Amino acid sequence: MNQEQPREPTRIFITGACDGLDELSAALSEHPEVEVVGRQEHVANAAGALAGGHLGAILHRTRRPSLPTDELAAIREHTRTEIVLLASGEASALLEEALDADVADVLLLPQLTENVVFAARKAAHTGRRAPTGTSREHGRVITVFSPKGGTGKTVTATNLATALVKHSGKRTLLLDLDLQFGDAAIMLAIEPDRTIQDLMAAPGELDSEKLTGYTLRHTSGVDVLPAPIRPEDAELVTEPKLARLLEVARESYDMIVVDTSPFFHGPMLATLDRTDELLLVCGLEVPTIKNVRLSLQTLELLSFPPNRIRVILNRANSNVGLKRSEVEAALETKISFELPSDRAVPLSVNRGQPTVLAEPGSDFARAIKEMASAISKPHGERASARRRWIPSLAKA
């Protein structure tokens, strides 16, 4: 039996200064998964060490409540190594500004050693994947999720992907990650001869050319990577392979629309970690509202940024005794988009055509097109989907 090889420790360098890191630095020095190769408060005094090209990540400490752009610029004069920013105290402004900054992660001190190690190793891994000399700008991952079946999640995902191509001119991939019972292909009248499972099982390194060979082109111009045909094949789509798939897709497309299963399992968590915008589909039924509220609480526990979450109220015009204001009060959040109940939707589903193509003048199609237009516009909240903001233990 082959024994698993021990993981090579990530080499990190610590710069800057802030309160609360002395004990953490000592703990990091003893941790087997990282190697602290140096520590220097002033970046100018660490120029030689930073320029060596041998580092996996830099932990930069700051006392400032907002983004230390000059400190980051000083580091960037010597190295392109990924930076994990460490701060203490109140730093909500820093978190907001960091969304667009050239940093891999932000952690608020005091912090568990394991959280810092995780952030450093993750930053190092991402840095190795980044193509040399290319822009950091990538396509955006739009994840469509609902914690309950029957809410219209797949209808929303397929129509949104189609609208992004037809009305916003975006190169779009529709990725079906409802791995056991995905319906994206059937809703587009596609009979897949290859699926995500075939891509995962194919030998060799996954790159853009290989991804293209396994996607299917819909007549609308959307590229589709269907879910496995057999439910038992879902386990072949592992989290590391899925993470690599999303990285490659971001290099190849403007938009990646991900249809998901109604569970917070491994693939969903891997997807969330790379999601730029999460569309949470809710309906006008009390059980659905309850599950959506639990999902919002779960996302908070996962430290998923709330400004990346948009709630969609589906069948919003249904007369079932609940109003939008009541749903917002129950969820303690605002509804971002409303999709109407429309007879055109089940008709187009049964024909295997997206409603935005089959019935472009319908109320549902117009609502989808407005949503696609809003999502496709660049805004200040665009960020690298690989970042995970880890709050201070003092607030946990």
Side-chain angles (χ1 to χ4, degrees):
M1 179 180 295
N2 291 330
Q3 293 185 343
E4 183 180 352
Q5 294 297 318
R7 295 195 293 180
E8 181 181 354
T10 298
R11 296 169 62 84
I12 61 175
F13 195 96
I14 303 173
T15 61
C18 79
D19 299 327
L21 192 64
D22 287 341
E23 298 82 357
L24 182 58
S25 297
L28 290 172
S29 298
E30 299 295 325
H31 201 285
E33 293 189 9
V34 294
E35 178 186 353
V36 180
V37 299
R39 178 174 172 177
Q40 181 60 249
E41 179 175 343
H42 300 290
V43 173
N45 296 334
L50 296 178
H54 61 295
L55 298 175
I58 294 171
L59 303 184
H60 180 67
R61 306 168 291 162
T62 182
R63 290 192 176 96
R64 299 185 188 179
S66 59
L67 192 71
T69 53
D70 56 338
E71 297 173 7
L72 297 176
I75 295 173
R76 286 289 172 243
E77 290 181 4
H78 307 291
T79 180
R80 298 303 302 173
T81 301
E82 295 286 344
I83 301 172
V84 176
L85 197 59
L86 305 175
S88 58
E90 292 293 333
S92 58
L94 183 149
L95 295 179
E96 290 293 326
E97 295 172 27
L99 288 171
D100 289 324
D102 190 15
V103 296
D105 253 329
V106 176
L107 286 80
L108 302 183
L109 301 178
Q111 195 61 248
L112 290 173
T113 306
E114 291 298 331
N115 286 348
V116 180
V117 171
F118 174 82
R121 291 188 66 86
K122 183 180 173 186
H125 175 76
T126 304
R128 288 194 297 269
R129 290 294 192 185
T132 303
T134 61
S135 172
R136 292 177 64 89
E137 190 71 18
H138 291 90
R140 298 172 62 204
V141 176
I142 312 297
T143 300
V144 184
F145 176 73
S146 179
K148 196 171 186 299
T151 58
K153 170 181 57 65
T154 300
V155 170
T156 301
T158 52
N159 278 274
L160 175 61
T162 304
L164 286 169
V165 172
K166 299 296 289 185
H167 301 288
S168 299
K170 302 294 185 180
R171 296 172 301 157
T172 302
L173 173 68
L174 175 60
L175 176 59
D176 193 346
L177 287 185
D178 191 348
L179 296 173
Q180 288 189 309
F181 300 103
D183 290 327
I186 196 171
M187 286 198 176
L188 297 174
I190 293 175
E191 294 186 9
D193 57 359
R194 51 194 183 274
T195 71
I196 186 174
Q197 179 266 327
D198 298 302
L199 177 61
M200 297 291 99
E205 180 74 7
L206 176 58
D207 54 22
S208 298
E209 184 177 353
K210 187 174 182 180
L211 174 60
T212 300
Y214 283 86
T215 57
L216 305 172
R217 176 64 59 90
H218 184 253
T219 54
S220 64
V222 175
D223 284 345
V224 182
L225 190 57
I229 296 174
R230 296 181 299 273
E232 62 267 23
D233 290 337
E235 64 184 26
L236 300 176
V237 183
T238 63
E239 294 174 48
K241 290 181 178 180
L242 177 57
R244 176 57 180 160
L245 168 59
L246 290 170
E247 290 174 7
V248 171
R250 282 164 59 84
E251 297 170 3
S252 307
Y253 293 91
D254 300 317
M255 296 285 183
I256 301 95
V257 177
V258 183
D259 190 16
T260 60
S261 64
F263 308 107
F264 283 103
H265 58 358
M268 178 60 185
L269 295 177
T271 304
L272 279 177
D273 208 33
R274 290 156 181 83
T275 293
D276 293 283
E277 198 134 22
L278 177 64
L279 303 181
L280 190 54
V281 183
C282 184
L284 286 170
E285 308 87 23
V286 170
T288 303
I289 295 170
K290 182 265 293 183
N291 286 357
V292 169
R293 179 168 180 171
L294 289 174
S295 296
L296 289 168
Q297 294 171 353
T298 301
L299 290 165
E300 184 178 3
L301 291 173
L302 293 171
S303 299
F304 189 85
N307 57 6
R308 294 194 207 170
I309 303 172
R310 299 203 192 190
V311 178
I312 301 173
L313 184 60
N314 197 18
R315 307 182 185 100
N317 58 340
S318 300
N319 186 14
V320 293
L322 283 174
K323 299 178 181 178
R324 170 177 175 155
S325 59
E326 294 173 316
V327 176
E328 290 180 331
L331 298 180
E332 298 181 350
T333 192
K334 292 293 185 181
I335 302 295
S336 298
F337 304 106
E338 289 187 1
L339 298 178
S341 179
D342 194 327
R343 184 172 177 269
V345 175
L347 290 176
S348 62
V349 167
N350 289 336
R351 290 199 296 258
Q353 288 184 297
T355 309
V356 293
L357 296 183
E359 301 288 344
S362 65
D363 291 341
F364 180 85
R366 285 197 294 268
I368 284 285
K369 285 183 279 189
E370 290 176 3
M371 182 169 66
S373 176
I375 290 173
S376 63
K377 290 178 182 178
H379 53 78
E381 295 174 359
R382 291 181 63 175
S384 173
R386 56 185 168 76
R387 298 174 190 150
R388 178 178 303 185
W389 314 118
I390 303 181
S392 168
L393 288 179
K395 296 183 178 182

